[in-house]
Amino acid sequence: MIDQPGMEYPGVVTSGNIYNSTVSDESLHRLVVHEIAHQWFYGMISNDPYHEAWLDEGFTEFATSFYLFSKSKDDIPYKTMYKQFENLTPLPVNLPLDQYGHNSSSYVYGKSSVMLWKLVEHRGGKKAAGKFLMNYYKEYNYKEVDTDEFIRFAKYYLHFKNNKAFNDWLAFQ
Ligand SMILES: [Zn+2]
């Protein structure tokens, strides 16, 4: 789910009314892609949606932007993406939803998906993101993940020797 009226269910997604919509075509397109991406990240790979909402919303946003970037020839706007979080209180993205006040979306959707991009930035950008998503899906479909498991996977898959790449944005349990 994102702020605009969309929702995911197994095999079905809903979006706000496309008629008389106050939402732009571009936002509506993004919303539909987001809800469809949940069929994998939530539908096929499960997680605790309250205590670790970032695992489905962050991955869904990551997959949504991967899809949109893949259709474009432009470079990934890393600098613009990172700038969005410069003034945000530096909280981890994997806190329970009640610990963010009214600003949970900036963390569990926004910052988390950007940090996933950051993990693959120097490993090949778009191409690396696609492979990362595919392998994550192959490893965890029909399973439940938590942050610790994600870190284990990402460290192994992306060859990180320590937890440095995760310290800025994930709280360790
Ligand atoms: Zn969502």
Side-chain angles (χ1 to χ4, degrees):
M1 194 172 73
I2 54 180
D3 294 342
Q4 291 152 353
M7 191 64 201
E8 69 278 9
Y9 305 93
V12 176
V13 301
T14 62
S15 78
N17 192 346
I18 57 170
Y19 303 105
N20 305 317
S21 174
T22 53
V23 177
S24 69
D25 284 356
E26 200 188 330
S27 304
L28 198 57
H29 180 211
R30 194 186 168 88
L31 170 71
V32 171
V33 175
H34 174 101
E35 301 306 344
I36 290 171
H38 269 306
Q39 296 302 313
W40 287 268
F41 307 103
Y42 144 80
M44 301 289 286
I45 301 173
S46 183
N47 62 284
D48 180 331
Y50 185 81
H51 292 96
E52 299 195 295
W54 83 276
L55 279 164
D56 62 298
E57 296 302 353
F59 263 88
T60 292
E61 274 297 286
F62 182 52
T64 300
S65 48
F66 168 70
Y67 171 80
L68 297 172
F69 290 151
S70 297
K71 293 176 105 33
S72 149
K73 286 199 170 76
D74 298 342
D75 290 336
I76 296 169
Y78 286 113
K79 275 190 185 151
T80 320
M81 292 199 297
Y82 299 151
K83 251 201 167 112
Q84 295 171 63
F85 305 105
E86 272 175 5
N87 298 322
L88 202 63
T89 309
L91 295 174
V93 304
N94 61 328
L95 299 179
L97 290 177
D98 64 349
Q99 294 191 33
Y100 291 112
H102 297 296
N103 204 15
S104 62
S105 299
S106 300
Y107 296 92
V108 299
Y109 292 73
K111 185 177 172 183
S112 65
S113 57
V114 168
M115 295 315 282
L116 288 169
W117 276 108
K118 195 170 187 177
L119 287 184
V120 299
E121 178 178 0
H122 300 294
R123 290 180 158 76
K126 284 180 207 175
K127 213 171 169 192
K131 279 189 179 171
F132 182 74
L133 282 167
M134 197 173 70
N135 282 288
Y136 179 77
Y137 168 76
K138 276 187 188 162
E139 187 65 32
Y140 296 112
N141 68 89
Y142 298 115
K143 295 184 182 118
E144 183 169 337
V145 287
D146 58 19
T147 297
D148 285 347
E149 186 58 34
F150 162 78
I151 292 171
R152 265 194 296 278
F153 173 82
K155 270 173 86 170
Y156 172 78
Y157 183 77
L158 297 168
H159 312 295
F160 289 115
K161 290 195 176 76
N162 53 45
N163 288 340
K164 229 167 126 186
F166 311 98
N167 285 343
D168 286 352
W169 57 290
L170 292 171
F172 292 84
Q173 277 108 14

